[in-house]
Amino acid sequence: MRSRSPFTDQFGPAGDGWRARWFHIIFGHEDAAGRRFDVLLIIAILGSITVAMLDTVASAHAQYGAFFYVLEWTFTLAFTIEYIMRIVVIDRPWRYARSFFGIVDLLAVLPTWISLIAVGSQYLLVVRALRILRIFRILKLTRYVGEADLLWFTLVRARRKVLVFFSAILTLVLIFGALMYLIEGPEDGFTSIPTSMYWAIVTMTTVGFGDITPKTTLGKLLTSLIILIGYSIIAVPTGIFTAELAAGMRARRKRVACTHCGQTEHEDDADYCRLCGTELPASEK
Amino acid sequence: MRSRSPFTDQFGPAGDGWRARWFHIIFGHEDAAGRRFDVLLIIAILGSITVAMLDTVASAHAQYGAFFYVLEWTFTLAFTIEYIMRIVVIDRPWRYARSFFGIVDLLAVLPTWISLIAVGSQYLLVVRALRILRIFRILKLTRYVGEADLLWFTLVRARRKVLVFFSAILTLVLIFGALMYLIEGPEDGFTSIPTSMYWAIVTMTTVGFGDITPKTTLGKLLTSLIILIGYSIIAVPTGIFTAELAAGMRARRKRVACTHCGQTEHEDDADYCRLCGTELPASEK
Amino acid sequence: MRSRSPFTDQFGPAGDGWRARWFHIIFGHEDAAGRRFDVLLIIAILGSITVAMLDTVASAHAQYGAFFYVLEWTFTLAFTIEYIMRIVVIDRPWRYARSFFGIVDLLAVLPTWISLIAVGSQYLLVVRALRILRIFRILKLTRYVGEADLLWFTLVRARRKVLVFFSAILTLVLIFGALMYLIEGPEDGFTSIPTSMYWAIVTMTTVGFGDITPKTTLGKLLTSLIILIGYSIIAVPTGIFTAELAAGMRARRKRVACTHCGQTEHEDDADYCRLCGTELPASEK
Amino acid sequence: MRSRSPFTDQFGPAGDGWRARWFHIIFGHEDAAGRRFDVLLIIAILGSITVAMLDTVASAHAQYGAFFYVLEWTFTLAFTIEYIMRIVVIDRPWRYARSFFGIVDLLAVLPTWISLIAVGSQYLLVVRALRILRIFRILKLTRYVGEADLLWFTLVRARRKVLVFFSAILTLVLIFGALMYLIEGPEDGFTSIPTSMYWAIVTMTTVGFGDITPKTTLGKLLTSLIILIGYSIIAVPTGIFTAELAAGMRARRKRVACTHCGQTEHEDDADYCRLCGTELPASEK
């Protein structure tokens, strides 16, 4: 049985002192105490984000502003204590502090503290939204990890195709944006080439806000063309992803050749060739 | 030949009394009388929904309001009688009343009756729209059931991938919504983070209403980025579904039990059981 | 060698009289004269549609109205002569007159003639747009027919899945439309349930005109949900079509079992099994 | 080892004179000097496009107009020198000048020179956007070429299906555009059939600007129908592309020539030639 948290063995303090115990609670996800901490942390993260969100709604701020202020500081204090604990119980605190989650954890509490000194810094609270990623990390230990991995590796495998595709899109956006700027001109909302390119992206991707629209006949003709081209190439990323995903799902088959008939595609759990009944050689993996 | 309605054997009254006869007409879908009842019910459901829909059109209400009122009560009376009959003829009425369709059947008639006492309750008629689901239940016995099942099981098989995907989308929506709120601010329509998130969903999914649009250069730049990201990940659910569906279609397995180990799922071209190597009996089809 | 126009043998006049010659020119697509006629017809159809289109542009009508009028009558006369010729040279004129293309051919000329008697009937010219379908018929003889057939049969094979899918969509549209009508109400543009359903279709399909948008918080929340659901199920028709098309393309493989190793999937042109080198039995088809 | 630039052997000057050396720097991409030139060229192209873009932004033009003017001429001079050098060092200058990139290279510098004589010609600078395609040419030598090729050949293989598909779309656009023109009329924005067709394209592709929207009940009904049809056929190009791409990826054929009949395309798992049954030589990879 392989250990589910090699991470612990690397960075956790040895022995059974209070540091080791708290390390397992805060960083570990295996035992009951660690899971209770994880659940509490997820609730706190979602709660603090909800408060920060609702506080920007004018009517809610007017009515519950003071209440939100108290909650805000409660979460900040809790997260600060959590951050200090993380620094204290880990063996290589500096390494944690410089890691992605270390920085996010710090950025989640800093703005509120800074707001004591500098006015307006509470806008930085937006950074706290990044803490939501920690939920993914915790959930990583659930059964969803296999699916997320398949999706992720599919995206990684498709990255070059996607890059080529995006270069082509951006070139088209530049050329069509420049053309529309010439045809329609500033009086119809195409005030500059960057604005035209923004419009071209909005149009080719079929978003179509409608804040800028062609007014001239030639502009409408070119727009129709741009849309049809965009409509055709919407197929490309979908096709890339689907083909890669299908290949990934197919690749889960056992690739071992039958010693008698040579058939190489067998289901995952096959022990005998389904075509000739010969026992299959054990696969290495 | 297996019975097409094991449901009848479980819940229907035994014998040939009037209750058993009506049970077969109302709940059954096999014989001529049951089918006639089904057709009548579908017509009544579609009719009552059409009346409720048209009654909300101001001009139609002004002209045919009284006529709609009579039709409304006719349908309500018919559905009430149907509901009482269902309660009377079934052996376990309480179980039916608490089932999904039992509740929907009740909710379909209650609002009109309540409107005699309380004003404004006729708005609850919207609930009647749910009765349309009964049509699916009736149609379930047609040849479309195989296709619907394939689609449904594909969605069920893909549910974890879809959940992972939606969590990722919502995180992006939160982060981009918060950023746009900071960049554009209330004066451009991004009045709060929830509103910004609504805008981010509308934009990333390429709906693009245009009721809120970026005005600043930085906002337009970020919008272009958000759109391109949304455009790329539109591929993900399509890819997931297509790959699963293709796998589901390919896996139309041979349903023949191995005489040695009892394994019932074999690939189309299998002649030997892949688990124990025994030759499979010839399948009938 | 199989005849490319069994149609001719069935309906064409026998012998070599002028009727048989003209029949081959008008209905046939094989010899040089028939092809010249086809090209002329395509030009005339496209020309008459272009004229009808441009005549609706106010500025073009003001300037070239008289010229369009002359062209209009020229095309009408030409199409009338063509129609009469078709009736005269075919052996079963009544059967042609009642066929789809027979009716379209008649409808293409009638409006202009009726406009001599009744005012306003020129609007019926829109029917002429259907004549464009004849171009497809003519092009049917080119090499594109195989591709069009594959696409068409894919759509036909997927028809039940598509029907199930559309029933589900329409139910969702009805339920969401009714809900939005209750939540937003007439003052925000959701003036009736049919209008709300129109909005729901526009939104779920990611078109998003923006002529009607939610104003209340609850409405925006429900809209976000509707959009995400719509975004997920956009995958369904794509998935259905892709899976069917891939299956259709794969099905072009030779389905014959190798007599030695039993391998059943071979490329179209395979004469020997690629796994064991045994000669494959001749396939029946 | 096969030469990576057969182009050089054909058009480059023989020997080791300065022309041959500069030819390798400007047209070649293999050695260090050639790569440095490529990098410089990419920077210059991106820089000149950025300047042309920013110069159209009113506020940037007001502030940095003079600076942009200087940069503009710097790039023009550099590109002019580059163009002359290309003409000088190549053996068949006329052939280069008439090639696609030769014309683009000329068009990239001409507008600025012409602007000395004719006012307003600076708008032609938009043509310079086409120079961005040269970046693709240079990048062609990187590892992305395989992916771009796969995407490109997929598009090429799918071209007939796409053409059939677009003809069908345009016919639908014509018919629906004409119908909406009749139903809604000029007072609702459907001022002519071409405008209605523009609207139909915008709607069927789910772009949905919202600049023109149906106002009448019948118009909204037809719009719903058009949208649902458009929504269904959005699946078609995606399906075509995905199926072709999946086929292309699966067909990564074994590239080994049969020793008996010379056939070079074999499936991945082939051990015997499928045309003559000869055992295939082991492939190196």
Side-chain angles (χ1 to χ4, degrees):
Chain A
M1 199 192 125
R2 93 187 153 83
S3 165
R4 299 195 63 176
S5 184
F7 177 81
T8 315
D9 305 328
Q10 277 186 291
F11 301 105
D16 283 325
W18 69 271
R19 277 183 67 221
R21 206 167 59 245
W22 277 100
F23 178 85
H24 277 284
I25 291 173
I26 296 177
F27 282 95
H29 313 281
E30 293 98 59
D31 54 2
R35 291 213 177 157
R36 263 198 302 276
F37 180 83
D38 287 347
V39 170
L40 265 176
L41 187 59
I42 288 179
I43 291 170
I45 290 171
L46 291 179
S48 76
I49 288 168
T50 308
V51 167
M53 265 171 58
L54 291 180
D55 199 36
T56 64
V57 180
S59 62
H61 181 76
Q63 209 170 349
Y64 306 105
F67 178 58
F68 288 158
Y69 187 79
V70 172
L71 276 178
E72 175 64 43
W73 273 104
T74 312
F75 285 123
T76 302
L77 282 175
F79 288 158
T80 309
I81 292 167
E82 182 214 340
Y83 184 73
I84 293 168
M85 283 298 285
R86 281 181 189 268
I87 293 286
V88 168
V89 302
I90 205 165
D91 264 4
R92 300 203 206 160
W94 190 234
R95 193 173 166 139
Y96 158 72
R98 282 181 312 176
S99 73
F100 174 72
F101 278 111
I103 291 163
V104 168
D105 289 349
L106 183 62
L107 287 176
V109 295
L110 267 193
T112 325
W113 292 112
I114 294 172
S115 72
L116 289 179
I117 318 165
V119 173
S121 69
Q122 72 270 22
Y123 285 132
L124 294 169
L125 268 178
V126 169
V127 182
R128 193 168 281 175
L130 286 173
R131 273 219 106 184
I132 215 172
L133 295 175
R134 205 170 251 288
I135 293 177
F136 281 92
R137 181 158 206 182
I138 293 170
L139 290 181
K140 253 209 148 158
L141 293 178
T142 74
R143 61 230 275 224
Y144 291 83
V145 66
E147 304 292 347
D149 272 6
L150 182 58
L151 289 184
W152 180 251
F153 286 127
T154 302
L155 282 175
V156 167
R157 253 208 322 274
R159 73 186 177 287
R160 278 195 213 154
K161 286 199 196 68
V162 170
L163 264 176
V164 167
F165 170 70
F166 269 112
S167 316
I169 288 270
L170 284 176
T171 309
L172 285 175
V173 162
L174 178 61
I175 292 169
F176 285 135
L179 276 175
M180 285 303 285
Y181 171 71
L182 278 199
I183 291 171
E184 291 282 334
E187 61 274 11
D188 291 338
F190 296 80
T191 49
S192 65
I193 291 186
T195 302
S196 284
M197 286 173 67
Y198 156 76
W199 173 87
I201 289 176
V202 167
T203 302
M204 288 187 81
T205 53
T206 77
V207 173
F209 281 134
D211 51 349
I212 309 169
T213 51
K215 300 289 182 299
T216 66
T217 306
L218 191 57
K220 284 179 181 178
L221 207 71
L222 185 61
T223 302
S224 301
L225 189 74
I226 293 174
I227 288 174
L228 286 178
I229 290 174
Y231 193 61
S232 313
I233 56 184
I234 204 177
V236 177
T238 309
I240 291 169
F241 185 80
T242 308
E244 292 284 359
L245 188 63
M249 283 167 66
R250 233 190 334 254
R252 289 184 171 175
R253 306 194 101 198
K254 190 180 264 185
R255 297 257 167 223
V256 68
C258 170
T259 50
H260 182 251
C261 73
Q263 169 72 11
T264 49
E265 292 209 342
H266 304 281
E267 291 200 67
D268 252 7
D269 59 349
D271 289 325
Y272 293 86
C273 174
R274 70 180 185 278
L275 297 180
C276 64
T278 313
E279 190 168 1
L280 292 172
S283 69
E284 297 100 63
K285 192 192 152 199
Chain B
M1 198 194 125
R2 97 189 150 81
S3 167
R4 298 194 62 171
S5 183
F7 176 82
T8 315
D9 306 327
Q10 275 186 293
F11 301 105
D16 283 325
W18 70 270
R19 278 184 64 219
R21 206 169 58 246
W22 277 99
F23 177 85
H24 277 284
I25 292 173
I26 296 177
F27 283 94
H29 313 280
E30 293 98 63
D31 54 1
R35 292 213 176 157
R36 264 199 300 276
F37 179 83
D38 287 346
V39 170
L40 265 176
L41 186 59
I42 289 178
I43 292 170
I45 290 172
L46 291 179
S48 76
I49 288 168
T50 309
V51 167
M53 265 171 58
L54 291 180
D55 200 36
T56 64
V57 180
S59 62
H61 181 76
Q63 209 169 350
Y64 306 106
F67 178 57
F68 288 157
Y69 187 79
V70 172
L71 276 179
E72 174 65 43
W73 273 103
T74 313
F75 285 123
T76 302
L77 282 174
F79 288 157
T80 309
I81 293 166
E82 181 214 340
Y83 184 72
I84 293 168
M85 284 297 285
R86 281 182 189 268
I87 293 286
V88 168
V89 301
I90 204 166
D91 263 5
R92 301 204 207 159
W94 190 232
R95 192 171 167 141
Y96 158 71
R98 283 181 311 176
S99 73
F100 175 73
F101 278 111
I103 291 164
V104 167
D105 289 350
L106 182 62
L107 287 176
V109 296
L110 268 194
T112 325
W113 292 111
I114 295 173
S115 72
L116 289 179
I117 319 166
V119 173
S121 69
Q122 70 271 23
Y123 285 132
L124 294 169
L125 269 177
V126 169
V127 182
R128 194 169 280 175
L130 286 174
R131 273 218 105 183
I132 215 171
L133 295 176
R134 204 170 253 289
I135 293 177
F136 281 91
R137 186 170 200 166
I138 293 169
L139 290 182
K140 252 208 148 156
L141 294 177
T142 74
R143 61 230 275 225
Y144 290 82
V145 66
E147 304 292 347
D149 271 6
L150 182 58
L151 288 184
W152 180 251
F153 286 126
T154 302
L155 281 175
V156 167
R157 252 206 327 273
R159 72 185 178 287
R160 278 193 212 155
K161 286 199 197 69
V162 170
L163 264 177
V164 167
F165 169 71
F166 269 113
S167 315
I169 289 269
L170 283 177
T171 308
L172 285 175
V173 162
L174 177 61
I175 292 169
F176 285 134
L179 277 175
M180 285 301 284
Y181 171 70
L182 279 199
I183 290 171
E184 290 282 334
E187 61 275 13
D188 290 339
F190 295 81
T191 51
S192 65
I193 291 187
T195 301
S196 284
M197 286 173 66
Y198 156 76
W199 173 87
I201 289 176
V202 167
T203 303
M204 288 188 80
T205 53
T206 77
V207 172
F209 281 134
D211 50 349
I212 309 169
T213 51
K215 300 288 182 301
T216 66
T217 307
L218 191 57
K220 284 179 182 176
L221 206 71
L222 185 61
T223 302
S224 301
L225 189 73
I226 293 174
I227 289 173
L228 287 177
I229 290 174
Y231 193 61
S232 312
I233 56 184
I234 204 177
V236 177
T238 310
I240 292 171
F241 186 80
T242 308
E244 292 283 359
L245 188 63
M249 283 167 67
R250 221 176 300 126
R252 291 274 172 86
R253 308 305 197 69
K254 190 182 261 185
R255 300 253 168 227
V256 68
C258 169
T259 50
H260 183 251
C261 73
Q263 169 71 10
T264 49
E265 295 209 338
H266 303 280
E267 290 199 70
D268 250 9
D269 60 349
D271 288 327
Y272 294 86
C273 175
R274 71 180 184 278
L275 295 181
C276 64
T278 313
E279 190 168 1
L280 293 172
S283 68
E284 295 103 60
K285 192 195 154 199
Chain C
M1 200 192 123
R2 96 189 151 82
S3 166
R4 299 195 61 173
S5 184
F7 176 84
T8 315
D9 305 328
Q10 275 187 293
F11 302 105
D16 284 324
W18 69 271
R19 276 183 67 220
R21 206 169 59 247
W22 276 100
F23 178 85
H24 277 284
I25 292 172
I26 296 178
F27 283 94
H29 313 280
E30 292 99 61
D31 54 1
R35 292 211 178 158
R36 262 199 302 277
F37 179 82
D38 287 347
V39 170
L40 264 177
L41 187 58
I42 289 179
I43 292 170
I45 290 172
L46 292 180
S48 77
I49 288 169
T50 309
V51 166
M53 265 170 59
L54 290 181
D55 199 36
T56 64
V57 181
S59 61
H61 181 76
Q63 209 168 350
Y64 307 106
F67 177 58
F68 288 157
Y69 188 79
V70 171
L71 276 178
E72 174 65 43
W73 273 104
T74 313
F75 285 123
T76 302
L77 283 174
F79 288 157
T80 309
I81 293 166
E82 181 214 339
Y83 184 74
I84 293 167
M85 282 299 284
R86 281 182 189 268
I87 293 286
V88 168
V89 301
I90 205 166
D91 264 5
R92 300 201 209 161
W94 190 233
R95 193 172 165 140
Y96 159 72
R98 282 181 312 176
S99 73
F100 175 73
F101 279 111
I103 292 164
V104 167
D105 289 349
L106 183 61
L107 288 176
V109 295
L110 267 194
T112 326
W113 291 112
I114 295 174
S115 72
L116 289 179
I117 319 166
V119 173
S121 69
Q122 73 270 23
Y123 286 132
L124 293 170
L125 267 177
V126 169
V127 181
R128 193 169 281 176
L130 286 174
R131 273 219 105 184
I132 214 172
L133 295 175
R134 203 170 253 290
I135 293 177
F136 281 92
R137 179 152 208 186
I138 293 169
L139 291 181
K140 252 209 147 156
L141 294 177
T142 74
R143 62 230 275 226
Y144 291 82
V145 66
E147 304 292 347
D149 271 7
L150 183 57
L151 289 184
W152 179 251
F153 286 127
T154 302
L155 281 174
V156 166
R157 252 207 325 274
R159 74 186 178 287
R160 279 193 211 154
K161 286 199 197 68
V162 169
L163 264 177
V164 167
F165 169 71
F166 269 114
S167 315
I169 288 269
L170 284 177
T171 308
L172 285 176
V173 162
L174 178 61
I175 292 170
F176 285 134
L179 276 175
M180 286 302 285
Y181 171 69
L182 279 199
I183 290 171
E184 291 283 333
E187 60 274 13
D188 291 338
F190 295 80
T191 50
S192 65
I193 291 187
T195 301
S196 284
M197 287 172 67
Y198 156 74
W199 173 87
I201 289 177
V202 167
T203 302
M204 288 189 80
T205 53
T206 78
V207 172
F209 281 133
D211 50 348
I212 308 171
T213 51
K215 300 289 183 300
T216 66
T217 306
L218 191 57
K220 284 179 181 176
L221 206 70
L222 185 60
T223 303
S224 301
L225 189 73
I226 293 174
I227 289 174
L228 286 178
I229 290 174
Y231 193 61
S232 313
I233 55 184
I234 204 177
V236 177
T238 310
I240 292 170
F241 186 80
T242 308
E244 292 283 1
L245 188 63
M249 283 167 65
R250 230 188 339 253
R252 287 183 172 175
R253 306 193 102 201
K254 190 181 264 183
R255 296 255 166 226
V256 69
C258 169
T259 50
H260 182 252
C261 74
Q263 170 71 11
T264 48
E265 293 210 340
H266 303 281
E267 290 200 69
D268 252 7
D269 59 349
D271 288 326
Y272 294 86
C273 174
R274 70 181 185 278
L275 296 181
C276 64
T278 313
E279 190 168 2
L280 292 172
S283 68
E284 296 101 60
K285 193 195 154 199
Chain D
M1 199 193 123
R2 93 189 155 79
S3 166
R4 298 193 63 175
S5 184
F7 176 82
T8 315
D9 305 329
Q10 277 187 290
F11 301 106
D16 283 324
W18 70 271
R19 276 184 67 219
R21 207 168 57 246
W22 277 99
F23 178 85
H24 277 284
I25 292 173
I26 296 178
F27 283 95
H29 313 282
E30 292 100 58
D31 54 1
R35 292 213 176 155
R36 263 198 302 276
F37 179 83
D38 287 347
V39 171
L40 264 176
L41 187 58
I42 289 179
I43 291 170
I45 290 173
L46 291 179
S48 76
I49 288 169
T50 309
V51 166
M53 265 171 57
L54 292 179
D55 200 36
T56 64
V57 181
S59 61
H61 181 77
Q63 209 169 349
Y64 307 105
F67 178 57
F68 288 157
Y69 187 79
V70 172
L71 276 177
E72 174 66 41
W73 273 103
T74 313
F75 284 123
T76 302
L77 282 175
F79 288 158
T80 309
I81 292 166
E82 181 214 341
Y83 184 73
I84 293 168
M85 283 298 285
R86 281 181 189 269
I87 293 286
V88 169
V89 302
I90 205 165
D91 263 6
R92 302 202 205 159
W94 191 233
R95 193 174 167 139
Y96 157 73
R98 281 181 313 176
S99 74
F100 174 73
F101 278 111
I103 292 163
V104 167
D105 289 348
L106 183 62
L107 287 176
V109 295
L110 267 194
T112 325
W113 291 112
I114 294 173
S115 72
L116 288 180
I117 317 165
V119 173
S121 69
Q122 74 270 23
Y123 286 133
L124 293 169
L125 267 177
V126 170
V127 182
R128 191 170 283 176
L130 286 173
R131 273 218 105 183
I132 214 172
L133 294 175
R134 204 169 253 288
I135 293 178
F136 281 92
R137 180 159 207 180
I138 292 169
L139 290 182
K140 254 209 148 156
L141 293 178
T142 74
R143 62 229 275 226
Y144 290 82
V145 66
E147 304 291 348
D149 271 7
L150 182 57
L151 289 183
W152 180 252
F153 285 127
T154 302
L155 282 174
V156 167
R157 251 207 325 274
R159 73 186 178 286
R160 278 193 213 156
K161 286 198 196 70
V162 170
L163 264 176
V164 167
F165 169 72
F166 269 113
S167 316
I169 289 270
L170 283 177
T171 309
L172 285 175
V173 162
L174 177 61
I175 291 170
F176 285 134
L179 277 174
M180 285 302 285
Y181 171 71
L182 279 199
I183 291 171
E184 291 282 333
E187 61 275 11
D188 291 338
F190 295 82
T191 50
S192 65
I193 290 186
T195 301
S196 284
M197 287 172 67
Y198 156 74
W199 173 86
I201 289 176
V202 167
T203 302
M204 288 188 80
T205 53
T206 78
V207 172
F209 281 134
D211 50 348
I212 308 171
T213 51
K215 299 289 183 298
T216 67
T217 306
L218 191 56
K220 285 180 181 176
L221 207 70
L222 185 61
T223 303
S224 301
L225 189 73
I226 293 173
I227 289 174
L228 286 178
I229 290 174
Y231 192 61
S232 313
I233 55 184
I234 204 178
V236 177
T238 309
I240 292 170
F241 186 81
T242 307
E244 292 283 0
L245 188 63
M249 283 168 64
R250 219 177 299 125
R252 289 276 172 83
R253 307 305 195 71
K254 191 182 262 185
R255 299 255 168 225
V256 67
C258 170
T259 51
H260 182 251
C261 73
Q263 169 72 10
T264 50
E265 294 209 339
H266 304 280
E267 289 199 69
D268 250 7
D269 58 350
D271 289 326
Y272 293 86
C273 174
R274 69 180 185 279
L275 296 180
C276 64
T278 313
E279 190 167 3
L280 293 172
S283 69
E284 297 102 62
K285 191 193 152 198

